[in-house]
Each structure stands twice: as C-alpha cells, then as structure tokens.
Amino acid sequence: MSNKRREFLKLSGLAGIGMMGTGFTGLSQEEQENVLVQSRRQHAQRFNMSGYAAPKLDRVRVGVIGLGMRGPGAVNRLSKIEGVEITALCDLRPEMVDKVMKTLDGTTHKPATYSGSTYAWKEMVDRDDLDLVYIATPWQWHTPMAVYAMEAGKHAASEVPIAISLEECWQLVETSERTKKHCMQLENCCYDFFELMTLNMARDGFFGDIIHGEGAYIHDLLELNFKKDTGYQDMWRLKENYRNGNIYPTHGLGPVCQIMNINRGDQMDYLTSLSSQDFHMKARAEELAAEDDFYASFATKQFRGNMNTTLVKTKKGKSIMIQHDVSSPRPYSRIHLISGTKGMARKWPVPGVATGHGWMKDEEVKELEEKYTPEIVKKVGEMAKKIGGHGGMDFMMDWRLIDCLRNGLPLDQDVYDAALWSSITPLSEWSVANRSNSIDIPDFTAGSWQTNQPVELTLKGGGTTGVNA
C-alpha cells in the first residue's frame, strides 16, 4: 500500500473498520473511497433554486425521451393537459415511437420523432421549440439527459431516481443553479391521495412536532425483473440489482421529506444502512440459466440483498427509516408512516390514524379525510383517477408541474430534493459495504435549508390549468 493511500485511509476514517467486510458489498474499494470524498464535498451556492419561479409559459412545449415502460403513459397524460404541446418524441427503438404516435391520432399533438440512434435524443433536445424535456429512460441516462437539457435552455423533469452517483447529484445541482432551469425529479408518490392528506395534516399541526417517518419500496418484482421483452431494454432494470444498497429510495422517502420540511427548515445529517443476504435473485438466475443460455451471464453475478434498511438522522433530531425489497414474496407497501408528538398515520397495510394507544374508528378517519383533503385533489383528483397512472397520482404530478410552469410558480420538488433523495443509493451502498458504519449526507443546499420555505400545498397563484379528459 502506498504512503498516499495509507494517509487517505487514516484521514477518512476507513482504516481499521474492515472496509470490505464479509460477503457481497457491491462496491470496489476505490468506489467506496470516492463516495466518502463526495459525501464530504462543500458547495458554494451560485443561485438558490428553492422557491425559484421561472418566467411564465402560457404554452409548455414538451419533448419526451424514452417510450418503453413509463413514457407512453406520460405522453397520454400530458396530451390531456391544457396548454401542453407535445412537440417531439424520442426512443432508441423506432417501433416504440410509431406505437406512441398512433395513440395521438385524433389529437392536436403532431410531434416530430427521433429514433434509431443512441444519441438521437440530443438532436431532439437541441430544437428551439422545446420548453420542457421529460425523461423516462433507463436510470443511467437520467442525469446526462437532464444536464444536457438544462444546458440547452430547457427545464428538465426525470423519472426516479434522477441520479445514480454522488457526482451526478452534484452535477445536477451545479447545472440547475448556473442555468436557472428547473430540474424536477418526477416523484409521483408525493401526489398520492393519502400522502397528500398527511402533508396537509402535518401543515395544520395535527401530528404536533414530527418525530419519525418511514417509507419503503416493497414490491415483489422477482419474476418481472427476469422476464425478457418486458420493456426493460437490454434487461437494464435487472442489472441495477447488482448494487447492494437501497437502489430505489425515493418513492417512500419523498413524501416523508416534504412533511418533515427536509431542505426547507431541516436537513439530513447522516445515515447507516444494512442489507440482508440475497435469498432469491442469484438462485433464480441459476434456475433460469439451467433452462435458457440467455441467463448464463446473470447466473455468474452477485445481487443485492433482499431487504435493505436505511436509517437517517436529521439535523434537528428527527429519524427516518427507508426500506427496499423487490425480491421477497410480500404484498406491496410504501409504509408511509408519520409519527409526531400528538399523533401518527400509516398507509399500509390499511390506512390508519391514531392519537394514542388505539387506531381511530373508520368514521373518524372519514371526517379527517373530508377536513384535510387538499385543494389539488379537490380540483383534479376525480379526473386524475379516470385518466390514470398509479390510481391518479401520476396525472396529478404532471398536471401540477405544467400548472406551475404556466403560472410561473416554484415547483414542489426542486433540484436539491432530486439530488438529496437520489443520493441515498450510493450512500447506502457505502454503509452496507462498511458493516453499516454511518456516513455524512451532503448538504446540496449549501446551508440555505435553514431559510428555505416549506412546500406550498395550496394552489395559490395557480390552479388555472384545465384538463381535456
């Protein structure tokens, strides 16, 4: 070992803690060192994007990249929102573009199309008649495409996670601040009906001071991840499971962060993360490889553990638990638990609210729903259910994004949220690889979290966008 390397380990605190531990860690030693360095990076904020209201856009001209699993639904939803012009569509596969184009027959949308080349999306983004680039591609492309879009003078909105490394998180923050273009992570679960209701309850003080929150992505995707021709081109979603940590944290985390005012009055401080062993994925790969040579390469790989549990401590003493399990035979759950000094709520396995030892009765919860249903649900909730997208929350997310852009309002989720929520993946990988040692969480706001204002739940200044259902 070189003297330079020994000095690095001494200063970083890695020496003597058994960096590689035992079993599968998923990160090389060099990658672990890089995560640690990036986690301690300091940032001089160039411009505060929290609360930033970009100039109004009466008409929002949208280009959509990625028409596999999520893109077609986004095109359908956007086509029904007043003031949207779907200007361009792009996918690597021409047949996917053609398929989505047919769904727009009979509408006013006549987008240009781009396909057949790995970088056809750049040609699309370079157009002068785009305001928003909507990204629904494999995860590895989210940051490169969002950065390119902002550099080209467009707002960027990306499916989750928007970044897969800390370097990408920092790149997004720096680009958004420099270009003053919105960079929104499309965390649709922030617009779930129950999550929105609990946000409203928290704002009204129902829970008292928030103490603890829990979120998760528990979803049995074992067979789907191994299926051919599912829309996950080149099996990219399965390959993401080589990473041993919480690789998909934002669904459960986003709503909890908004309720806790993370980045807007409080900030994450550090985390620790633990993964179980893999009890399913490698075994399934080996079973399939015995019958089909297509799976032979997967049978040689190590996969993430079934359950990852990550714990976060905030600067103001709150705690957050985030879990991820997509390979165990369990019912779907995002948990969504909020606990405060006066009461608590939890969505799964069944929605419930409590202010003491027992759960409130159904009729009492019904009264709370009537009292705390937010304006956005009252305005577009029923239409959202009809149009669809995870029960309507996808549509409310898209409608809210467009309404904010058309009315010159700050977005509910800014680039700091995008970076912070996505950073959990590389940080949790580091902790898993280091026997669950804690690691600092970067402050992407450069201290402005202390004065940034909480997300405005009302439709004040907006709510003017119609729906063509």
Side-chain angles (χ1 to χ4, degrees), residues 293-305:
D293 287 341
F294 174 83
Y295 294 100
S297 63
F298 298 108
T300 66
K301 302 294 185 181
Q302 297 293 322
F303 292 88
R304 55 174 301 280

Side-chain angles (χ1 to χ4, degrees), residues 90-117:
C90 179
D91 193 275
L92 178 64
R93 298 158 293 181
E95 65 272 18
M96 302 306 292
V97 176
D98 293 341
K99 184 177 180 179
V100 173
M101 281 292 291
K102 290 178 182 178
T103 68
L104 294 174
D105 288 346
T107 73
T108 59
H109 302 282
K110 308 296 179 185
T113 60
Y114 299 82
S115 63
S117 167

Side-chain angles (χ1 to χ4, degrees), residues 11-223:
L11 292 173
S12 65
L14 290 175
I17 66 174
M19 283 182 59
M20 297 306 292
T22 59
F24 170 56
T25 67
L27 284 180
S28 70
Q29 190 163 313
E30 182 179 356
E31 288 170 329
Q32 291 176 50
E33 294 171 1
N34 186 54
V35 170
L36 191 63
V37 169
Q38 293 295 326
S39 74
R40 296 175 175 176
R41 181 173 168 182
Q42 299 297 310
H43 171 59
Q45 190 175 77
R46 183 166 183 163
F47 179 84
N48 190 359
M49 291 299 294
S50 181
Y52 171 65
K56 292 182 181 181
L57 296 168
D58 291 334
R59 178 183 54 159
V60 183
R61 300 167 297 178
V62 184
V64 180
I65 313 175
L67 303 173
M69 292 293 284
R70 294 284 292 160
V75 171
N76 175 62
R77 298 189 303 271
L78 290 166
S79 72
K80 294 175 171 30
I81 301 175
E82 179 189 4
V84 169
E85 179 182 322
I86 301 175
T87 304
L89 299 175
C90 179
D91 193 275
L92 178 64
R93 298 158 293 181
E95 65 272 18
M96 302 306 292
V97 176
D98 293 341
K99 184 177 180 179
V100 173
M101 281 292 291
K102 290 178 182 178
T103 68
L104 294 174
D105 288 346
T107 73
T108 59
H109 302 282
K110 308 296 179 185
T113 60
Y114 299 82
S115 63
S117 167
T118 303
Y119 291 98
W121 60 271
K122 286 189 174 182
E123 185 180 352
M124 187 202 85
V125 174
D126 285 338
R127 295 174 62 103
D128 293 329
D129 57 350
L130 281 182
D131 303 300
L132 172 67
V133 175
Y134 196 113
I135 302 163
T137 61
W139 301 347
Q140 66 180 6
W141 289 101
H142 289 180
T143 292
M145 289 176 174
V147 167
Y148 193 88
M150 289 185 284
E151 296 281 12
K154 284 80 173 176
H155 299 301
S158 171
E159 287 285 352
V160 301
I162 198 170
I164 58 177
S165 70
L166 291 183
E167 290 96 330
E168 288 189 342
C169 292
W170 284 115
Q171 189 179 10
L172 290 167
V173 168
E174 292 169 348
T175 306
S176 182
E177 289 181 354
R178 176 166 42 81
T179 61
K180 294 185 181 180
K181 292 298 176 181
H182 288 305
C183 181
M184 177 180 174
Q185 182 169 238
L186 296 165
E187 186 36 77
N188 54 343
C189 295
C190 288
Y191 298 88
D192 176 85
F193 293 79
F194 190 83
E195 273 91 324
L196 282 171
M197 184 183 79
T198 54
L199 176 59
N200 212 8
M201 293 167 71
R203 291 288 186 268
D204 193 50
F206 178 89
F207 301 114
D209 293 329
I210 305 299
I211 300 169
H212 175 74
E214 297 181 11
Y217 188 68
I218 297 172
H219 193 183
D220 186 359
L221 299 176
L222 184 64
E223 295 304 318

